[in-house]
Amino acid sequence: MKHLLKQFCKNESGATAIEYGLIAALISVVMVSVLVTLGPEIKATFQDVQTNLASRSSL
């Protein structure tokens, strides 16, 4: 029983899974904040490209 308890205390696979989950959550938060911040600029750039392509194709 003592051996089993020591082995359980040394097992860190659950801690590793939690760490990976926290890292994934942090990456998600950063991605969402960047997209919210740069979203309007990205949309404007794609609209400019679309407008330029439409005007060039009518020539």
Side-chain angles (χ1 to χ4, degrees):
M1 184 70 173
K2 230 178 182 182
H3 176 69
L4 207 65
L5 186 61
K6 283 182 182 180
Q7 189 177 14
F8 178 74
C9 290
K10 287 183 181 180
N11 187 358
E12 295 181 0
S13 63
T16 303
I18 291 172
E19 290 169 358
Y20 282 132
L22 290 172
I23 291 170
L26 180 63
I27 290 171
S28 300
V29 168
V30 169
M31 288 176 62
V32 167
S33 62
V34 166
L35 288 175
V36 166
T37 304
L38 297 178
E41 292 181 36
I42 294 171
K43 183 178 179 181
T45 301
F46 278 110
Q47 285 178 338
D48 289 343
V49 169
Q50 181 182 5
T51 303
N52 287 334
L53 286 174
S55 67
R56 304 256 181 199
S57 66
S58 64
L59 293 178

